[in-house]
Amino acid sequence: MSECAIPSATVETALRYAEHGLKLIQIQPGQKKPAAPHDWPATATDEPDRLQVMFGDDAHDIGLLLGEASGVVDIECDSPEAEAELQRYLPEGFETPSFRSTRGVHRFFRWQPELPAKAVCKVGPIEVRIGNRPAQTVMPSPLNGREWIIRPGECSPAEIPQGLLLAMQAADKPKAPATVYSPPVNLDRRKILDRAIAYADRLAPSIEHENGDARMWDCCLKVVNGFALDDSEAMQALAGWNARCEPEWADHVLLRSIQRARGHGEVGRMLE
């Protein structure tokens, strides 16, 4: 590229990203796939001369190599449920570089060595693109409709909230088979449900921004597994507890946690 040539809009955008140490790759236009068919992470760079060659003809979109190389992970919320669940982990006034795509909001967080050794990790409806195995995300550029909410440089990538980090680590562990409880045939299910309701009513409710997600998970483990409840019974048992939560959990979120809880811990211990 000659000294008097005017950089393309895509090059200018890529150069601004590179100023923050972000390692960039070419993306096939109109897609999310890396342009390089093989070993595409090796093409990632923040070197100005290489970026001018890669993006000078405006023929490729800009992708970001995630993980240790760029120092960031991308937490994507592509549904209202995912956004609502992520908000439970975030403190008030939280800020981190973020942009909006057609499906939802992407937020950049600081890469940490204790993250799961995966490309992508799912925490309920939240998708975390970690990059400990090759992973990338398409950056806002003149070639796509993605728009920055908070640009790199306006604030540094935030540390992943401890509650979310623990949830990611838990999701990465193989589930131990639950101890199967076979209730005696003479057990009165109505009495069991009444006992479960009374027990749940003594448990502390979850409060937003006060580790509420952990309290909800603990409640499900104790009530659902402890009393060997099915889905319908568990929803009834937790109805009063949920009414005290601030805010209340949506039924589909609570039901998902009930169903996930069955894969953890001893079942039926409260019936002894």
Side-chain angles (χ1 to χ4, degrees), residues 138-155:
V138 180
M139 298 286 278
S141 82
L143 303 183
N144 60 56
R146 300 183 172 210
E147 297 181 348
W148 285 107
I149 301 169
I150 301 176
R151 295 176 179 274
E154 293 181 8
C155 70

Side-chain angles (χ1 to χ4, degrees), residues 210-227:
E210 294 183 12
N211 210 21
D213 50 288
R215 284 190 180 178
M216 188 262 280
W217 179 242
D218 183 63
C219 182
C220 287
L221 289 175
K222 290 177 177 177
V223 176
V224 179
N225 285 343
F227 292 92

Side-chain angles (χ1 to χ4, degrees), residues 1 5-16 51-60 62 142-143:
M1 187 172 186
I6 300 174
S8 73
T10 308
V11 166
E12 289 184 334
T13 302
L15 291 173
R16 285 197 297 270
L51 294 175
Q52 289 170 356
V53 173
M54 291 166 63
F55 301 109
D57 56 3
D58 284 333
H60 293 93
I62 303 172
L143 303 183

Side-chain angles (χ1 to χ4, degrees), residues 87-236:
Q87 288 299 326
R88 295 183 179 275
Y89 293 100
L90 304 181
E92 289 188 49
F94 175 86
E95 287 190 343
T96 198
S98 53
F99 66 85
R100 190 179 305 279
S101 69
T102 56
R103 298 180 63 187
V105 176
H106 295 245
R107 293 175 175 87
F108 288 160
F109 289 79
R110 193 181 315 147
W111 179 85
Q112 299 170 224
E114 58 267 36
L115 288 166
K118 288 184 171 183
V120 179
C121 177
K122 294 281 285 187
V123 178
I126 303 169
E127 180 172 289
V128 185
R129 304 186 68 79
I130 300 171
N132 280 339
R133 292 178 184 172
Q136 54 83 23
T137 195
V138 180
M139 298 286 278
S141 82
L143 303 183
N144 60 56
R146 300 183 172 210
E147 297 181 348
W148 285 107
I149 301 169
I150 301 176
R151 295 176 179 274
E154 293 181 8
C155 70
S156 299
E159 188 170 319
I160 296 173
Q162 185 66 16
L164 181 56
L165 178 60
L166 292 174
M168 292 167 60
Q169 292 170 337
D172 187 48
K173 294 178 180 178
K175 292 182 179 179
T179 302
V180 177
Y181 175 77
S182 300
V185 294
N186 61 346
L187 282 181
D188 186 325
R189 298 304 298 173
R190 182 65 248 181
K191 289 182 178 179
I192 292 173
L193 181 56
D194 288 343
R195 287 174 56 194
I197 292 172
Y199 181 83
D201 286 346
R202 296 195 299 270
L203 297 177
S206 72
I207 307 297
E208 190 172 19
H209 303 311
E210 294 183 12
N211 210 21
D213 50 288
R215 284 190 180 178
M216 188 262 280
W217 179 242
D218 183 63
C219 182
C220 287
L221 289 175
K222 290 177 177 177
V223 176
V224 179
N225 285 343
F227 292 92
L229 304 180
D230 63 26
D231 288 355
S232 176
E233 291 170 333
M235 290 295 287
Q236 293 179 67

